[in-house]
Amino acid sequence: MLTFMDYVVRSFGDQTGWNRDNSYSSLTATSDALLDFQTPRHARLNLSSLSSTQFASSYSLGTLGLVDGSISYLFSTDPLIIPAASSSIPLRSLILGYRPLGIPQGPNDRAELSASSGKQTEDGLPQSKSTGNTKPTLLHATLQLPPPSTLNALYSRRTSPSSLVSVSLYSNTATSAFSSSPPPASLLAHVAHDTGKWSVEGLASTDSALLGARGLWNFGIDELYRSSSKNKIQISPESSDEGLSDLPPTQPSTARNPPSPPSLLSAGAEFYYSPLSSVVGLSTGLRFTTLSRDVTAFSQNRPHRKPLAGTAALLSSQASSALSQTSSFPYTLTLTLTPLTGSLASTYSVLATQNLSLSSRFGFNVYSWESECVLGAEIWRSRQRRKQSAGSAEPGDSLAWARQKAAAWLDEAAQALSSSASSRANRENLVPDHELEDDSVIKLRVDDNWNIRALWVGRYKELLVSAGVNLGLTGKGQDLGQLSSTTAPDGNGAGAPSWGRWKGSVGLEVAWSS
């Protein structure tokens, strides 16, 4: 589960129109979220607050042998209009899982989106309401309190609709209390440029003078732009039924020939080099994924418009129904290669249903002949909200006792009639399936060495609760192929299978925010 500060930082990028998925560092983000998720290993309490639209703070207290904690502060020049209370934050915004990608936008599309949502700066970025023409900037710092104390700081700035500049600081105090030398620190500068069709990143670190570069190229993006513009029906919010008869009739898809979902093939690479330590790093990868039916990747940031009615609503519903029928499940395939170490890994992730995601990864090393197999699943549980009927009593209704007395005066026939009407009203007040509320999620992960990981995240009243379990098999017979062949003497001197010993940890994390 993301921390409150990570949630705010990601919301800052979404609100300013930055697409974090169009980057080589996010090539395997879907499989990593389903297979490499972290679980709490001890008890921890997090208290956070978005005191204003530009300032947030967070405090955490945990127990890991001894008491530890952290303090975090964040400031944004761009007002953050996001849910901040722990009872109102969508769970899917805090849990990293399968997210169908949208068509990457270019800088012109981002400028158009900013123009539709409000004023702009001279460079086409959304203008901050409080600082005028100041470009969106974010400042964030976290201090780990127990010695050795650790300081993490971040400075991020949107310099243009297609560029992002950030500088991060990492400092760790000296382990010896009698050391007079200043604490070691390192700076990391990161510059990213995203045009939609391709993206490039540059990195420089003071640690061993490390330099790096990343790049990602999307194939067939121009064809996706043309097809999305053809399928888009422009209807003005003030449009009525007049003139809609001139639009070409839509051809609804049938079950025998549903439209295939759009897909995107991306290729990228990264390179690192340190002239001081002569360290070289190189990796490359491919990603093939089906895209979301949304026209753009930032459709959730578009301003709300007046709902359509009449023929316009009918056309919109027919288009949505046609686009929702696809010939296959949304899926993502990745293939990564690290030539210097000989590591090759392939992943396959699929969104089987709206509440079920599956993922697998197979890794192989051509030099050592070692292999790895990991399986993971994510299961969501939803609940229906009930609309309160007009005649029902409010939680603080002072006349509830009088209503109960009046109900007691009714005869059996009148009580049966009232009960039938009440049950019918409750059935009518059920929210449709597409408006279900996410209640909790379970994430499972197991590999070929029987390392099992389970995570549960849900709500309890106004709190967000996360519980995790880690189990691992140690000793002989750890591998799946050795479990049936490895034997150990039992008390009678005979041979018996050796299953090793199970070791693990259990953790609980509680978060509250306002």
Side-chain angles (χ1 to χ4, degrees):
M1 183 177 69
L2 291 178
T3 63
F4 181 79
M5 285 302 183
D6 292 337
Y7 162 70
V8 175
V9 172
R10 294 169 70 92
S11 300
F12 171 82
D14 294 339
Q15 185 168 303
T16 56
W18 182 255
N19 186 9
R20 57 180 176 272
D21 295 318
N22 196 34
S23 169
Y24 181 77
S25 59
S26 302
L27 194 73
T28 59
T30 297
S31 59
D32 292 342
L34 296 174
L35 300 176
D36 298 330
F37 58 90
Q38 300 297 322
T39 60
R41 295 182 177 270
H42 55 282
R44 178 169 292 274
L45 175 64
N46 298 320
L47 302 176
S48 309
S49 174
L50 186 66
S51 55
S52 67
T53 57
Q54 297 178 271
F55 184 78
S57 59
S58 179
Y59 311 93
S60 67
L61 183 66
T63 58
L64 183 60
L66 51 89
V67 177
D68 64 339
S70 65
I71 300 177
S72 302
Y73 294 100
L74 182 143
F75 174 77
S76 171
T77 59
D78 194 55
L80 301 173
I81 312 299
I82 57 175
S86 54
S87 58
S88 61
I89 299 178
L91 277 182
R92 293 186 186 264
S93 300
L94 299 175
I95 305 299
L96 300 180
Y98 193 98
R99 288 185 310 124
L101 304 183
I103 301 177
Q105 283 189 333
N108 295 333
D109 298 328
R110 294 194 185 98
E112 180 183 355
L113 176 61
S114 301
S116 61
S117 59
K119 298 181 179 179
Q120 307 178 61
T121 62
E122 296 178 356
D123 296 331
L125 286 168
Q127 178 177 323
S128 177
K129 297 180 181 180
S130 61
T131 55
N133 292 325
T134 302
K135 299 174 182 178
T137 306
L138 180 107
L139 299 174
H140 172 45
T142 301
L143 177 63
Q144 302 287 341
L145 295 180
S149 300
T150 303
L151 175 64
N152 293 279
L154 172 67
Y155 169 84
S156 181
R157 185 180 180 89
R158 292 296 312 279
T159 57
S160 70
S162 58
S163 301
L164 172 69
V165 177
S166 63
V167 178
S168 57
L169 168 69
Y170 174 82
S171 177
N172 193 1
T173 58
T175 56
S176 176
F178 301 99
S179 177
S180 59
S181 59
S186 61
L187 284 174
L188 175 64
H190 174 256
V191 179
H193 185 74
D194 180 15
T195 63
K197 187 175 184 179
W198 54 269
S199 67
V200 63
E201 302 172 67
L203 302 97
S205 175
T206 58
D207 188 7
S208 302
L210 185 66
L211 301 175
R214 298 173 183 157
L216 183 71
W217 183 274
N218 297 316
F219 296 92
I221 194 70
D222 296 332
E223 181 64 26
L224 290 175
Y225 286 152
R226 287 193 292 267
S227 60
S228 63
S229 61
K230 290 180 181 179
N231 295 333
K232 188 188 303 182
I233 302 177
Q234 299 291 345
I235 301 178
S236 174
E238 292 79 10
S239 299
S240 60
D241 295 346
E242 299 179 359
L244 293 176
S245 58
D246 298 334
L247 294 174
T250 58
Q251 297 293 335
S253 60
T254 61
R256 295 182 179 179
N257 188 24
S260 59
S263 58
L264 180 65
L265 176 64
S266 305
E270 64 178 351
F271 175 78
Y272 294 96
Y273 174 69
S274 174
L276 298 182
S277 58
S278 300
V279 174
V280 178
L282 176 65
S283 69
T284 182
L286 293 172
R287 180 183 66 189
F288 180 82
T289 179
T290 56
L291 299 178
S292 172
R293 282 299 181 176
D294 296 334
V295 175
T296 62
F298 309 110
S299 59
Q300 66 272 16
N301 295 330
R302 294 191 180 275
H304 298 285
R305 299 183 182 274
K306 188 175 68 175
L308 301 176
T311 309
L314 178 61
L315 290 175
S316 178
S317 62
Q318 289 179 354
S320 301
S321 176
L323 293 178
S324 62
Q325 299 178 6
T326 57
S327 59
S328 63
F329 299 107
Y331 63 91
T332 300
L333 293 167
T334 63
L335 178 65
T336 55
L337 172 64
T338 307
L340 300 180
T341 60
S343 299
L344 179 67
S346 62
T347 66
Y348 174 70
S349 304
V350 60
L351 184 63
T353 66
Q354 189 66 23
N355 296 327
L356 175 63
S357 301
L358 304 173
S359 182
S360 62
R361 179 175 63 208
F362 179 76
F364 181 75
N365 191 285
V366 298
Y367 298 148
S368 62
W369 296 94
E370 294 181 352
S371 62
E372 176 196 27
C373 181
V374 186
L375 302 176
E378 182 182 76
I379 307 171
W380 286 87
R381 179 180 178 272
S382 302
R383 65 180 179 183
Q384 290 181 329
R385 300 196 200 113
R386 292 182 179 270
K387 297 180 181 180
Q388 192 168 16
S389 59
S392 60
E394 298 291 339
D397 190 1
S398 59
L399 298 179
W401 63 272
R403 303 181 192 277
Q404 296 177 358
K405 288 289 186 181
W409 295 339
L410 299 177
D411 55 6
E412 295 182 359
Q415 289 181 3
L417 182 60
S418 177
S419 176
S420 175
S422 177
S423 61
R424 183 172 61 254
N426 290 334
R427 289 194 301 267
E428 294 176 353
N429 288 334
L430 288 177
V431 177
D433 293 339
H434 65 276
E435 295 182 4
L436 292 176
E437 179 186 16
D438 294 321
D439 183 56
S440 61
V441 60
I442 296 178
K443 304 184 75 169
L444 303 173
R445 184 252 196 203
V446 62
D447 59 16
D448 55 351
N449 289 327
W450 285 105
N451 294 317
I452 303 174
R453 195 178 302 169
L455 174 68
W456 178 88
V457 180
R459 281 194 173 94
Y460 177 74
K461 295 184 179 180
E462 302 295 327
L463 302 177
L464 288 171
V465 182
S466 175
V469 177
N470 283 275
L471 293 176
L473 190 62
T474 60
K476 294 182 179 181
Q478 183 173 345
D479 295 337
L480 291 176
Q482 299 176 355
L483 287 176
S484 59
S485 60
T486 304
T487 60
D490 56 10
N492 299 327
S498 174
W499 293 85
R501 293 188 305 170
W502 290 94
K503 289 186 177 180
S505 62
V506 179
L508 179 67
E509 185 173 347
V510 179
W512 179 87
S513 61
S514 63

